[in-house]
Amino acid sequence: MSAPTSEPARGTARIPAGVKITATAPVQRAGGGYDEAPTVVLEAPPPPPAAPRAVPADVEPPRRPARRVVPRPKWVVAAVLVFVFVSLLLVEAYANARFTPDHQSEPGDTTIVPDRIIEGGPIINAPPGQEARSYRLPPKTIALTFDDGPDPTWTPRVLAALERYGAKGTFFVIGSQVVRYPELADELARKGHELGVHTFTHPDVATLPQWRRRMEYSQTQLALAEAAGVRSSLLRFPYSSTADAIDDNAWRLLTKAGELGYVTVVNDRDSQDWARPGVDQVVANMIPDGDQGAVVLLHDAGGDRAQTVQALERFIPMMQARGYSFVTVTDGLRRALTDPRTGAAPTVLRNPPADAADRQRGLALASAVRIADWSLQFFALLFLVVGLLTLARTLLLFVLSGRQARRRRGDWSWGPPVTAPVSVIVPAYNEREGIEAAVRSLAGGDYPGGIEVIVVDDGSTDDTADIAASLGLPNVRVIRKANGGKSSALNTGVAAARSDIIVMVDGDTVFEHDSVRQLVQPFADPEVGAVAGNVKVGNRASLVARWQHIEYVIGFNLDRRLYESLRCMPTVPGAIGAWRKDALLSVGGMSDDTLAEDTDVTIAFGRAGWKVVYEGRARAWTEAPASLGQLWRQRYRWSYGTMQAMWKHRAALVDDGPSGRFGRRGLPFLALFGIALPLLAPVIDLLAVYALLFAGRAETVLAWLAMLGLQMVTGVVAFRLDKERLTPLWTLPLQQFAYRQLMYLVLIQSLVTALTGGRLRWHKLRRTGEASVQT
């Protein structure tokens, strides 16, 4: 017979033009199977040479369009994404630096601290080139100072207490808090309270280098400029105390701050409200000796400040009754510097306005912190989503896959034995390393109905076809055709097949002796249109291959049990799958619309109402990529093709009948568990690293171990169902640190490039022929 020359009607598979059958095919026996015949070779004659065309000398011949190949990993893009994400986490970690409540430390040596400072007041000015001086507040004058704010809960309550009694306060703010709650800083400034610098992240500045200290001060100034439009010359170091506790280290810090134009403020009375000793004790700690003035230390953030607010409600009216006035630090300093004879006082601005440049720089700083905050909140939400999806998937796997496995125990069968002849199609492109083992395993199967093996050589440039033809096996035919892609090769085989049951096998795959027989038994159920077999990794020597072995058992075979239970199987693997020929022809055969022709046609079967089932007893051993580069190429094609297939069949989401059932069940499952969950999984790893470095380490380690434990339990269940030894699971923890990251990158690049709708050729992975049946 010769190839058709006209466009085939729907319902027929097409043999590419030029393919010519040159030998007699085996004759089918009346009882099924085929009489023995020599190996038949079908050859496609070379195309006739094109007539030469005259090309003018000044015209450059047109270039042949380059065929797109699987793109190399976009390491630059990935590096930029990782850099941006890590930068956001570092900004967040910096802005979220944890601090402990104020404490009293033992003072060190005071060999360089002037006595007048140790014995002086809490307001210290040490300008460069001038004598350092300290100041006390006048008698019956109190400056209430509040550290660590602003806080959305406690600052408004403190502010309300001050306003109730007409008192003013000085708030030494943390810059990162000002960025997060700018409206509070602005409200404090507008209502006449004073803002001072308490650093940006509340570190122990004595442990920081000078450049970092300056950054802590300047960033707080920028935060004030953006939030309230002001700046401040007042500075209070975190964990500072009274003037008599200033030692040599503190004095160096103080003089360096003076060089930057800051006036340092410590305190006379520490309320110790951070320790929450009780309201009575807080009030007692705030009362000055006699009629002395005092700078009182309190807090409006950093913990539960209910005792602080209650103490203020009692302390302010009590001291006002004694004749005390409550002022800001700057107002108190002005009173201290007022000449008692003339009443002349220096002009000291409470919070001078910030210039436009500082406001703009403050906006940039605030934007960076807020974006980092929003990003962390977003990723925390994704973390929750990933956790819920993982838990839901695990529960579904345990319940539905376990139920499917239990139903098939014992003497369960699909129905009467299937013995109809079977045609096995092997599309091959440069498969010389493994084609002999694959063909021999197929041709020598124990299936009683007869096996016809059709090797379709898709324009190989090696001796794949010659090796297959030279085997001399009576039930093997070889078709040679020009290179047209895997779908074209499969359709050629379907058109040449004489059986109503089609088995499709990759050219690097080895079948077990009973695999064909086991694979076709589900066709005893007339509703079954396709069968997915059990793909095994046949080369497990390398660590990368072992990781794929784990993935095949857990991520593929266990999932197929789940999908079968829900009647939404998305993929019959190209390595081992069986099809009803008439059903395959009715959906148009194997399409080249996507890179995942097996997923494309499987979805088409589901939409057409056919059952697609999983037969775990039919096992095929395939050669998994042994290097990360080869793995990249394979998984990119899979991921990209799956996304294309989902997009192609998107109309199923709104269809009626079987198509709608598959669309509203299978496509969401595939989107959630095949794309969304793997894409979001890096959030777990990145947030785990972030938390390990900047948050609670014990909690992070426990959470990560819990996730790993869940994966390990899933792996044990999957390996038991597949009757596999558990030994390879010891590599599962290592898989989290290399293999998973590559899969992340594959999915991300696939998602981006899938939007272009580009086509890739049938990409050939390098094979070694190492796939074999593992016992």
Side-chain angles (χ1 to χ4, degrees), residues 4 7-8 12-17 487-488 490-495 585 588:
E7 182 70 17
T12 62
R14 65 177 65 182
I15 299 179
S487 297
S488 172
L490 289 170
N491 285 332
T492 298
V494 172
L585 295 177

Side-chain angles (χ1 to χ4, degrees), residues 721-735:
L721 289 176
D722 244 19
K723 297 181 174 57
E724 286 278 356
R725 289 180 295 181
L726 301 180
T727 307
L729 288 176
W730 73 266
T731 64
L732 187 60
L734 299 176
Q735 194 181 38

